[in-house]
Structures are given as C-alpha cells and as structure tokens.
Amino acid sequence: MNRTPILAVSGIDKTFTMHLQGGQRLAVLSDLAFEVFPGECVVLGGPSGAGKSTILKLVHGNYAADRGRILLGSGVDVATADPRAVLAARRDTMGYVSQFLRCVPRVPALQVVAEPLVERGVPHDEARERAAAVLTRLSIPQRLWALPPATFSGGEQQRVNIARGFLPDLPLLLLDEPTASLDSRNRDAVIALIHEKRSRGVGMLGIFHDPAVRDAVADRIVDVEAFAPRAGAAA
Amino acid sequence: MTPLLQVRGAGHRYGLRHGCRDVDLDLWPGEVLAVVGESGSGKSTLLGTLSQRLGPSEGSIRYRMADGRVIDLGEESEAAVRRLWRSEWGFVHQDPADGLRMHVSAGGNVGEPLMANGWRHYGRIREAAAGWLERVEIPADRIDDHPTTFSGGMRQRLQIARNLVVSPRLVFMDEPTSGLDVSVQARLLDLIRGLVFDLGLAVVVVTHDLAVARLVSHRTLVMKDGRVVESGLTDRVLDDPHAAYTQLLVSSVLQG
C-alpha cells in the first residue's frame, strides 16, 4: 500500500458562533487529527452529534475550520485554500456523496448522473453509457432515466445520488451515510461499489450507522469522541 | 494569468451616500459569482458600478480584454466601453422588456447584435439567430413573432440569446429569474448553468434568492448596507455562514 496519505488532517478546531442566539459559541471539534491512505476506507465513529458530518463538510470545504490543516494528496490545504483551489480539488481530487440529492429540478436522472463526468471532459456518449451502467447496477429502472429525480422516492433519489458520486474516478471519496434508506439488495450493491473503489486505490472517508455495512467496508474506525472539546475549555 | 475582472476598493456614491463601497473581488473565466442581499443592500449598485452603467466610481476595476490587454475601466473612454458592450460583455435585465426590442421580431432581436458587429449577410444572420433560438428552447416557428406575444420565460430566454449571440466573455445578470413562475425559474436556471459551462462564460449574477446562488454560482458575495459582509465558496457561505447578517438570511429561507 502507498504510504503517502491521500488526506492528512491535523490540529483542526471547529466552533460555530450563532449570532442569532446572542453569539452563543458551540465548540464541536478540538485538535482533530487523522489520515486516510489510498485503498482504505476509514469510517468515522461516535454517537450522533459528535461531529462526524461536520468532519466530512470540513474536508469538502463546505465548513471553514477555525485552525489546522486539511491536506489533500495533491498538496492543497482545504483549510486555507482559496475558493478556486477548493473547486479544482473537488473536480480533480475528491468526491462527496451526501445524504440528499441536490440538483436543478428538471434535469433527467441520466444527465444528473453523467454530469460529473462531462464536467471532467468525458465525451457525452461515453458519460451516458457509464451513467446507464451504474444506474442499472443500483436497480434504477430504465423508464425513470429520462425523468427528473425530484419525482422519485427517497430511496431512488439516494441511489441516483450514489451513482452520481461514485461515477467519476477520483482519489478520495467522502461518503455521508450512502446506505441510509436502502433495502438490503441495494445496500449490497453499494458495498460492492465501495470494495471496487478500494481495490482501485481510492481512499474513502465515510459515515455508516448500519453496523453490518460498517463491518463490511471499514478498514479502520476513527472515534470522533476523542476530539470532543473539553467542557468549559476556552475555545 | 490575471483574472478577467480585478476589482479593488470599488464603490459608488449617490451624492453623499454610498450605494456600495470597498468592494474587492476577482472573477475568472468560467466562474459564476453571485451577489446576494436584500433590496437596498447595494447589490444592484455594485452591478452597475462593475458594468460601468453608473457614472464615475471609486476604486479600480481592471478588465482583461480578449486581446490580452488589461485596462482600467475607469480610465477608458465611453466609446471604448461601448465597444466592450458590443463585443465582449452582456447584460441580462430582470425585466426582459429592458433588454429586448419588444416590437422587433425574435429573430431580429438576436440578429441585431450581429449586425452591430459588422455581419451583413442576411441569410447567415438569420441562420445564427435560428440556431440561438433553438439553443434557448424557443420554437423555430416563433422566429418572426414579436416578444410581446411571448410568455415571461420565453422573453427571458430570448434576452439571454440576444446577449450570448456575440459570444461575450463576461455577462452581468440582474435578478434574471425573479420575475418568473417557480417552474419556469428552474428551467431558466438549468439553461443558464448549461450555457455558462459550454461557453466558459464569466458571470456576475445579482439575486435576492439564495437558491439561485446555490444552483448557479461558484462563489458568493453577501452585501448589506453597501458593503460586502461575507464572501467565499457558495456552499461554504450558505452552509457555514459566519456573519450575523448571512446567518439571518440563510435562516430566513423557507424550508421546502
């Protein structure tokens, strides 16, 4: 295994200041540090509210860190990079599969899934073929492909989201409960996708509440509670 | 390489009062910048300042032209700025009637900017206009109709075609979707997104609608009382707002 991390997080603090609640400060993470290497799936563990989703959002750049480093294998520090560098990292280095599909309402499912490939320069036809293949694997019937996912059930939307997130070949994938509302057959399909990514050297950082899924995919578990700010500590 | 648009300390005064002030920003090709805020926040004044539609302004606004020269817009003659409008810039108004000639056919509205750029061959102009109408999803058989007979969404798409037909490098948009029904808005946003990507356009879009910013923009500036109170990656600004005012804006959005 390549021993250069694809993601190296160190010294990260995260506090939310809520101005609408009189400037109340909510410290979520203190001195967070962990690494993800190519070809491994690191799972964030800990009870809900411990800051697992916050970590994924910090790495993806949706949340700003108070201090510390979030170093990608490409050398970009997401914690300090300017917006253009973060956008470039999202295009070339890291993908994010969120819990909910967020896209323009009237775009057909096939296009929603193919879009990340097209944006990375893959020809339209090839992108559509690959999108169709992954939708088939995730049991989205062909009659739905031309329809916008907004009309789909929750589970179908989530599978479209997974297809979209897994399709581009990126060295790092962030997974926020990708199996949460899936039946067992589709859960197994997602586990198989994760195993394939891993065998191709992709590093993954994920949240999985389902213990069976977690056991099936986790190479290591990072206990997020170890990075809880101490009560009463000066932020 | 330098940004397409490099803005430092930009501002505009109405008499003694500032409409906007101390604005810094860089805009690169292919990038969409959303300027959000409530009415009166100075976002439209900023758009007018950047696009030189308002009179003399404070600070510096440098623009990199197609030929690579970087010019300071404040020092350019009116004629030079008019030339930019004809060939390198576009402006999409909230009300399509402000950007279209309502009593000229749809084809004429799209063909006119080409004529202003020296196109003379009628057949080619009509062909280019027809191509653009198709691209903005206006049926070919409407090419000779006046925009007065079009729906709001069609008018707005026609205005976009009229702007993009000359292959501008920088397009300013002032609340391009806010006069439209919700269903029509989605279609227009999707169209704008696709065109921006295909053409590698740089866009400054002013909107009071955070959903518009999220769907079409890479970066967002939040304005209040004429100043930028927060800026950054759009999803960072909207998911983890730091300024009190941005938190108020984000928390005021109705959850659908």
Side-chain angles (χ1 to χ4, degrees), chain B residues 108-220:
Chain B
N109 265 288
V110 182
E112 209 175 45
L114 293 175
M115 288 189 268
N117 273 300
W119 288 42
R120 289 289 171 265
H121 189 289
Y122 177 78
R124 269 188 225 127
I125 292 170
R126 192 170 166 90
E127 196 184 323
W132 265 100
L133 291 182
E134 189 190 344
R135 209 158 171 182
V136 299
E137 303 166 21
I138 292 174
D141 62 1
R142 304 299 301 271
I143 189 166
D144 293 318
D145 294 347
H146 291 185
T148 44
T149 67
F150 286 6
S151 69
M154 271 172 81
R155 288 180 190 183
Q156 199 55 297
R157 297 202 300 278
L158 181 63
Q159 192 192 182
I160 287 170
R162 179 177 162 95
N163 271 281
L164 298 189
V165 65
V166 296
S167 309
R169 305 168 70 228
L170 172 60
V171 178
F172 302 95
M173 299 187 181
D174 189 6
E175 303 272 12
T177 58
S178 57
L180 305 173
D181 293 341
V182 176
S183 59
V184 179
Q185 278 185 14
R187 183 175 180 190
L188 190 72
L189 285 173
D190 178 36
L191 181 76
I192 290 173
R193 231 170 47 117
L195 290 170
V196 164
F197 178 75
D198 290 344
L199 305 173
L201 290 177
V203 177
V204 181
V205 56
V206 159
T207 178
H208 68 281
D209 186 341
L210 298 184
V212 170
R214 193 185 281 280
L215 282 174
V216 302
S217 76
H218 302 103
R219 286 186 297 130
T220 293

Side-chain angles (χ1 to χ4, degrees), chain A residues 48-60:
Chain A
S48 76
K52 300 188 295 294
S53 285
T54 298
I55 293 172
L56 291 188
K57 286 174 176 153
L58 284 163
V59 173
H60 195 241

Side-chain angles (χ1 to χ4, degrees), chain A residues 97-217:
Chain A
V97 183
S98 60
Q99 288 184 58
F100 304 103
L101 185 64
R102 197 178 245 162
C103 58
V104 177
R106 72 171 188 126
V107 181
L110 189 67
Q111 196 184 327
V112 167
V113 176
E115 210 167 54
L117 289 182
V118 173
E119 284 170 4
R120 290 172 177 84
V122 176
H124 277 87
D125 289 351
E126 184 192 335
R128 281 168 176 278
E129 272 168 37
R130 288 171 61 185
V134 70
L135 284 172
T136 304
R137 264 187 89 170
L138 289 165
S139 330
I140 301 285
Q142 191 165 356
R143 63 188 161 77
L144 295 181
W145 296 356
L147 302 176
T151 59
F152 295 5
S153 74
E156 285 164 347
Q157 286 195 23
Q158 196 176 9
R159 279 178 278 149
V160 170
N161 203 28
I162 291 165
R164 180 181 160 92
F166 273 80
L167 201 47
D169 294 309
L170 298 166
L172 176 65
L173 262 187
L174 309 172
L175 307 170
D176 192 352
E177 291 226 57
T179 55
S181 52
L182 300 184
D183 58 24
S184 63
R185 176 165 147 232
N186 285 305
R187 208 160 47 220
D188 292 345
V190 174
I191 292 171
L193 284 171
I194 291 173
H195 285 155
E196 277 167 35
K197 286 280 181 194
R198 185 165 54 187
S199 66
R200 276 187 278 148
V202 173
M204 282 167 284
L205 177 65
I207 302 171
F208 299 91
H209 280 133
D210 181 339
V213 178
R214 193 168 52 212
D215 292 346
V217 301

